[in-house]
Amino acid sequence: MERTFSPSEILEYCSKKWFDNPAGISALDLAQHFQITNEAAMRIFESLNELEYGTLNRNVKLYSAHFNPKNVSKSLNFKEEITHIFFPSSKVLATYYEKLGLLRQNIPEYEKRLKLGAGQVNQAYFEEEVLRKYFNHPEKYEVEDSESGGSVLSRGEEIPYIWVRYSKRKLVNGNIVVGAIYKDLAAMSDTDQKYWASYEVKEAKFVEYEKDEAYQRFVKNQFYGEFADYVDPIADISCFLRKINEIAGITIFRQTRNSLVKPPVENTFESFCDSCSELDKLFANGNIDGKNLKNWILQKGWGTESDFICPDKKHPEITSRQMMKLLECKVCGTTALSDLMKECSDYRQQKAHCVDVSSETTSSYSQKFYDLCKRICEAGETLESKIKETSGAQKNG
C-alpha cells in the first residue's frame, strides 16, 4: 500500500530545500528523502501543482550517479531518469519563511528575496549613481563598463567580496537604470546589499526591448550565451589614438588611455562635465607631443613652417592641439574631430567656471556622454583612415 503524506509535510520539506538553495526540487530528491519511488514523488508534485502550491517543469531528463562505497575505485554508474522539478509558490515560501523562524534572522535584503521566490536571474533596477562607489575606488574594485552594462569585482581579501554583472536599460522618460541579477546581489555582503537597496528603483517603465539595442546585447550575452560585442566608445577612443601613434611610427599621443574616464554616475550636468574633463585630458596640449607632430606633418608634406606660426603673435608657435586641427584640416578637409575636442573642453570649462545650466533638459547624461564619445570615435576613425589613405598614395606616387 502506497504511503500517503500531507501537503504540509511535503511543502515544509520543499521550502527547507529552497531556503538552503533557491532552485527547483526534483521528484528524485523527494523520493530519496521520503523513501518512495520517483513515480510516486512525481504524482505528489502533480497534485501540489493542481492545488496551486507551486509550478512544475514536467518530465525533465536527469542523470543520477551510483557507486559502490565498498569499491570506490570502480567507475561511476550513471542512470537516466525522467522526473518532475517543483517550484514552491511565493505564498508557500512566505508561509514557511515565517513558520521556520527565518523572519527573525535579519537575512540581507536580496538573499531574503531569493528565499521568498525571486528568480535567480531576474533583475532588480537601480539609479546609475549606485556605481559611483566602485568607479571612485579603482584601487578596491575592478570595473568593466560599457554602454550595455558591465561588472564590478572586488580586489584583494581586505575588501568585502563582490562580483556583480549589471545591465543598462533605457526608460521611456529617457533615463537609464542599472540592472543586476538577484543571484549576484544576494552574494554580496550585508553592507553592500543595503547600499544597493538604497538606490533601487521600485517602479520602472522601460522602452520596448526591440528599441534598446544596448540592452539587447546584454541579454544575448548573459542569458543566451551568444557572443555580443558590447559598445564601448571610451575604449574605442583609446584604440584610435594608439593606431594614430602606430601609423605615425612616433609618439603623437603620450597617453592613449585615461582609466578615470567613466560615464557620469549621477544624472547631473556637473557629473557629465566631470566625465568630459577626464576625457579632455587625452586631447590636452600636454598629452600631444607637439614637436613630434610638427616634424611628422612637415615630413609628410601636409604643412609648411608658416602654418605653425601663431596668428596673434602672442606665441611663437601654435599649440599642440592646434597642430592636430591643422593635420585634420590638411588630411580630411574638415575639422570634425577638433570641433568635438573643443566641445569636450568647453564642458570642462563650464564646470570650472560654475556655469548655470538650469535650463538643461537632458534626460540621461550618461547617454549624452556616450553619444559624444561615439562622435569623437567616428571623427577619429575618419582621420585615421584618411592618414592611411594619404600615406599610401604618397608611397605609390
Side-chain angles (χ1 to χ4, degrees), residues 273 347-355:
C273 289
Y347 285 125
R348 177 180 61 80
Q349 292 293 332
Q350 288 183 55
K351 166 68 185 304
H353 293 95
C354 302
V355 174

Side-chain angles (χ1 to χ4, degrees), residues 228-240:
D229 192 13
Y230 287 176
V231 176
D232 189 355
I234 297 173
D236 291 342
I237 288 174
S238 294
C239 183
F240 88 71

Side-chain angles (χ1 to χ4, degrees), residues 232-234 236-237 240 261 279 340 367-378:
D232 189 355
I234 297 173
D236 291 342
I237 288 174
F240 88 71
V261 180
L279 178 59
L340 289 166
Q367 189 61 59
K368 181 173 182 175
F369 182 70
Y370 273 126
D371 288 343
L372 174 61
C373 290
K374 285 178 184 176
R375 288 186 287 140
I376 290 174
C377 282
E378 290 171 4

Side-chain angles (χ1 to χ4, degrees), residues 125-126 168-178 201 203-208 212 363:
Y125 292 94
F126 309 85
K168 291 183 180 177
R169 197 167 182 183
K170 294 178 182 176
L171 303 182
V172 293
N173 64 7
N175 289 349
I176 291 176
V177 290
V178 169
V201 177
E203 293 184 8
K205 293 183 179 180
F206 306 109
V207 300
E208 294 176 33
D212 194 343
S363 298

Side-chain angles (χ1 to χ4, degrees), residues 1 76 78 87 93 112 144 157 216 232 246 250 255 278 281 288 332 337 392:
M1 185 175 183
L76 293 175
F78 291 93
F87 299 86
L93 291 171
K112 174 184 174 181
E144 292 185 2
E157 297 179 358
Q216 286 179 43
D232 189 355
E246 290 169 6
I250 52 175
Q255 300 293 329
E278 293 299 333
K281 291 176 182 178
I288 301 172
C332 299
L337 177 60

Side-chain angles (χ1 to χ4, degrees), residues 97 101-109 111-112 190 194:
Y97 189 86
L102 276 72
L103 196 61
R104 299 186 296 275
Q105 293 181 18
N106 295 319
I107 295 171
E109 179 63 24
E111 184 180 347
K112 174 184 174 181
D190 186 17
K194 288 177 180 175

